[in-house]
C-alpha cells in the first residue's frame, strides 16, 4: 500500500502556500534570524541586532509603508521572509501616482530552500506593494535569486549604482 497525500496536502519537498502570511510583531526575532543569515560573513554592528527587531515589533501591522510576508513552518520558526517598503517619489512616467516599492530582503532558511518559499513570499510582497499603489517595484538581486526574479517579470535597470559611504569631497 502506498501513502497518497490527501487533497490539499503538500507533497514531500514542497510546502503549503497557505502558510504564507503577513509578518506580525511577534515574528521580529525570527526575522532577525533570517536577516542575519543574509548577512552571514559580513560584519554587522551589534546595535543592529537590537534595533532591527525593535523596529519590526513597532512597525509591523501599523506602518502602512512597511510590508513583510513570511512562510511559516508551523513549528515556531519561519522558513522564509520578504520585506519591502513603499516610497513616495514624484509623479513621473515610471512612478504614476508618485509611489514606488523596494524589495529590501528575500531570505529563505537554508533548511527550506528550493521548495518555493521565496517565490511565494515575494509574490505576496509584490502584490501588496502594487496594491499600495506602487507603479514600479525594484530590488537588488543576488546571483542565486536572479532566476526567480526574472521568472516573476523583473528586468535589469541600466546604470543603477549605490553609494554606501560618505560622498567623496571635491569641488562641485
Amino acid at each position: 500500500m502506498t501513502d497518497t497525500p490527501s487533497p490539499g496536502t503538500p507533497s514531500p519537498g514542497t510546502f503549503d502556500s497557505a502558510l504564507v502570511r503577513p509578518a506580525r510583531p511577534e515574528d521580529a526575532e525570527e526575522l532577525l534570524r533570517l536577516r542575519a543569515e543574509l548577512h552571514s560573513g559580513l560584519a554587522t554592528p551589534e546595535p543592529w541586532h537590537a534595533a532591527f527587531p525593535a523596529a519590526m515589533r513597532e512597525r509591523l501591522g501599523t506602518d502602512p509603508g512597511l510590508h513583510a510576508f513570511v512562510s511559516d513552518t508551523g513549528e515556531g520558526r519561519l522558513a522564509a521572509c520578504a520585506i519591502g517598503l513603499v516610497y513616495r517619489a514624484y509623479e513621473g512616467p515610471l512612478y504614476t501616482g508618485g509611489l514606488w516599492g523596494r524589495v529590501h530582503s528575500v531570505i529563505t532558511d537554508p533548511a527550506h530552500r528550493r521548495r518555493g518559499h521565496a517565490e511565494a513570499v515575494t509574490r505576496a510582497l509584490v502584490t501588496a506593494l502594487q496594491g499600495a499603489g506602487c507603479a514600479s517595484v525594484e530590488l537588488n538581486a543576488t546571483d542565486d535569486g536572479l532566476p526567480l526574479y526574472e521568472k516573476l517579470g523583473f528586468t535589469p535597470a541600466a546604470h543603477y549604482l549605490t553609494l554606501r559611504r560618505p560622498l567623496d569631497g571635491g569641488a562641485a
Side-chain angles (χ1 to χ4, degrees):
M1 190 161 101
T2 61
D3 277 341
T4 305
S6 61
T9 302
S11 61
T14 64
F15 78 104
D16 182 354
S17 63
L19 295 177
V20 172
R21 60 172 173 75
R24 302 183 290 243
E26 57 268 25
D27 294 322
E29 292 300 325
E30 272 294 285
L31 291 171
L32 174 64
R33 180 184 66 79
L34 289 171
R35 294 265 308 154
E37 176 67 35
L38 176 70
H39 296 293
S40 66
L42 298 176
T44 56
E46 191 57 39
W48 174 78
H49 292 272
F52 177 80
M56 291 296 102
R57 282 190 291 275
E58 177 185 328
R59 295 176 64 189
L60 284 169
T62 62
D63 181 342
L66 173 66
H67 297 270
F69 289 85
V70 298
S71 178
D72 197 327
T73 65
E75 300 169 355
R77 288 179 65 93
L78 299 178
C81 70
I83 303 169
L85 291 168
V86 175
Y87 291 95
R88 179 165 298 285
Y90 47 84
E91 185 75 29
L94 297 179
Y95 306 115
T96 54
L99 299 177
W100 62 279
R102 175 140 172 81
V103 176
H104 279 270
S105 310
V106 176
I107 309 132
T108 303
D109 183 298
H112 297 277
R113 290 190 178 148
R114 306 282 179 239
R115 297 182 195 171
H117 295 282
E119 180 175 349
V121 295
T122 303
R123 283 183 181 279
L125 175 60
V126 170
T127 299
L129 292 170
Q130 291 174 331
C134 295
S136 176
V137 178
E138 301 170 1
L139 58 77
N140 278 331
T142 63
D143 290 340
D144 287 342
L146 187 60
L148 167 63
Y149 305 130
E150 288 175 335
K151 174 183 175 184
L152 295 176
F154 284 86
T155 58
H159 307 296
Y160 179 81
L161 304 172
T162 189
L163 179 67
R164 298 185 189 266
R165 58 181 178 76
L167 187 62
D168 287 340

